[in-house]
């Protein structure tokens, strides 16, 4: 199950507005945000073209290959505009198509008649979470945050990482089949970063993966990484110690195991160094909180 760390809703709204478009929004399945390459007029809603358009990017014209990047979001999905703006920046700077799939196909209505699509609301958690790395968290704030998570456990279970991995894999396979992309890179943030780590164990699915502040992380699974992988960690990606009470140490330890504190990071680096099938890298950004890569 995906449990939020204390920086998950920290950060700032990026300036500007998304310039791409939402595809398949009405069908719920395969819904995504699409930001096309600036010089690419090919529409992803159409069948695979017989040839690369004359206006495609220089890199695509020189190799004859269509390239794409898939961005996997944190637990808040597409309800924030930041991942869409990041996708727009990627498409502009990399000159390739960028997709942000909606991995959260959860339609719900609570006892108050409120409805939504995502397991958790950023607005619901934000009041209890500061945006300064290593800020002290009071027990009251921790209790409130955990109660929100506990109340939403059914929705969180419906969007657990294994489900996200399956949906991402299906999305990628359909994209390769229908749109003819020869090479695909994937970048994921927080929840999406955890999904990325699992995708990295599936050879030939994509060509390169970058996982930013990923969670949860099961290190032993990464012994079979077969795709070039970079894991980017923030100094503030610490464990969520909820209740400093002896009777609840087991619960606290469970939460701790789902992130990458310094000791776990050492183990991660050791495991990835043993991988021979692909190039790997782990990098820590000192002074950054988890939200520095996730929401900003």
């Amino acid at each position: 199950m995906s449990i939020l760390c204390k920086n998950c809703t920290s950060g700032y709204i990026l300036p500007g507005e998304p310039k791409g478009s939402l595809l398949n929004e009405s069908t719920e399945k395969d819904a995504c945000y699409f930001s096309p390459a600036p010089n690419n007029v090919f529409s992803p809603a159409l069948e695979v073209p017989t040839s690369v358009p004359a206006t495609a990017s220089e890199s695509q014209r020189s190799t004859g290959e269509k390239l794409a990047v898939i961005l996997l979001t944190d637990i808040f999905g597409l309800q924030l505009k930041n991942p869409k703006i990041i996708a727009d920046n990627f498409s502009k700077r990399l000159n390739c198509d960028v997709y942000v799939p909606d991995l959260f196909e959860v339609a719900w209505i609570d006892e108050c008649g409120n409805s939504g699509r995502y397991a958790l609301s950023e607005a619901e958690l934000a009041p209890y979470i500061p945006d300064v790395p290593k800020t002290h968290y009071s027990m009251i704030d921790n209790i409130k945050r955990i109660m929100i998570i506990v109340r939403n456990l059914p929705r969180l279970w419906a969007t657990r990482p294994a489900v996200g991995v399956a949906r991402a894999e299906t999305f990628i396979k359909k994209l390769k089949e229908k749109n003819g992309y020869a090479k695909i890179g994937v970048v994921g943030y927080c929840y999406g970063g955890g999904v990325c780590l699992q995708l990295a164990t599936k050879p030939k699915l994509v060509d390169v993966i970058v996982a930013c502040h990923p969670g949860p992380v099961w290190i032993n699974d990464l012994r079979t990484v077969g795709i070039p992988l970079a894991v980017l960690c923030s100094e503030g990606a610490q464990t969520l110690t909820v209740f400093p009470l002896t009777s609840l140490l087991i619960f606290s330890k469970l939460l701790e195991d789902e992130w990458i504190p310094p000791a776990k990071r050492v183990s991660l680096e050791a495991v990835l160094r043993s991988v021979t099938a692909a190039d790997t890298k782990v990098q820590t950004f000192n002074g950054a909180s988890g939200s520095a890569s996730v929401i900003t």
Side-chain angles (χ1 to χ4, degrees):
M1 183 185 304
S2 178
I3 302 294
L4 299 181
C5 84
K6 61 185 102 175
N7 291 305
C8 278
T9 59
S10 307
Y12 305 93
I13 299 299
L14 294 176
E17 295 297 328
K19 301 184 183 301
S21 57
L22 289 173
L23 306 179
N24 304 320
E25 184 179 17
S26 60
T27 64
E28 292 193 358
K29 289 187 177 296
D30 299 328
C32 70
Y33 177 81
F34 173 66
S35 184
N39 297 323
N40 194 347
V41 297
F42 172 64
S43 169
L46 303 178
E47 65 277 1
V48 180
T50 56
S51 61
V52 178
T55 54
S57 68
E58 289 295 332
S59 60
Q60 294 184 42
R61 287 206 303 268
S62 63
T63 62
E65 298 178 333
K66 286 177 55 61
L67 311 176
V69 168
I70 297 174
L71 189 156
L72 303 181
T73 71
D74 58 20
I75 195 69
F76 301 112
L78 292 175
Q79 61 183 316
L80 299 178
K81 70 176 184 177
N82 283 13
K84 303 171 188 176
I85 293 176
I86 293 173
D88 291 343
N89 288 334
F90 282 172
S91 68
K92 180 179 179 180
R93 297 178 66 178
L94 301 176
N95 210 356
C96 69
D97 295 342
V98 180
Y99 296 82
V100 189
D102 184 357
L103 302 182
F104 308 100
E105 300 168 2
V106 181
W108 53 266
I109 301 178
D110 64 18
E111 63 277 6
C112 298
N114 299 314
S115 62
R117 183 180 178 85
Y118 300 96
L120 289 170
S121 165
E122 184 272 340
E124 188 175 28
L125 280 170
Y128 310 113
I129 303 177
D131 55 18
V132 179
K134 297 185 177 181
T135 296
H136 172 73
Y137 291 80
S138 71
M139 181 182 294
I140 295 299
D141 283 346
N142 279 326
I143 290 174
K144 288 180 179 179
R145 181 169 55 252
I146 289 303
M147 291 305 297
I148 291 173
I149 294 173
V150 170
R151 187 171 67 247
N152 288 283
L153 281 178
R155 289 182 226 155
L156 285 168
W157 178 252
T159 59
R160 61 194 182 276
V163 174
V165 171
R167 289 173 178 163
E169 187 173 4
T170 298
F171 182 88
I172 292 169
K173 288 180 178 178
K174 287 183 179 179
L175 198 64
K176 293 172 71 174
E177 177 184 352
K178 293 182 179 180
N179 293 352
Y181 291 110
K183 291 185 178 181
I184 295 177
V186 182
V187 56
Y189 301 84
C190 198
Y191 172 94
V195 171
C196 275
L197 294 182
Q198 295 301 310
L199 295 179
T201 64
K202 302 178 182 296
K204 300 182 180 180
L205 179 64
V206 296
D207 297 278
V208 64
I209 288 177
V210 178
C212 304
H213 179 57
V217 178
W218 292 278
I219 292 179
N220 286 334
D221 292 350
L222 301 180
R223 298 183 187 278
T224 58
V225 165
I227 298 169
L229 169 67
V231 182
L232 307 184
C233 305
S234 57
E235 183 183 14
Q238 301 172 357
T239 59
L240 175 59
T241 304
V242 184
F243 303 115
L245 303 176
T246 303
S247 60
L248 292 173
L249 283 178
I250 294 178
F251 184 56
S252 178
K253 182 62 177 177
L254 173 64
L255 296 174
E256 177 182 282
D257 286 344
E258 294 202 332
W259 294 105
I260 315 180
K264 192 169 185 178
R265 200 167 299 166
V266 171
S267 299
L268 173 63
E269 292 173 341
V271 167
L272 291 183
R273 278 197 301 269
S274 69
V275 172
T276 59
D279 293 332
T280 63
K281 173 183 180 180
V282 179
Q283 183 171 347
T284 299
F285 291 86
N286 294 326
S289 67
S291 60
S293 65
V294 179
I295 296 182
T296 62

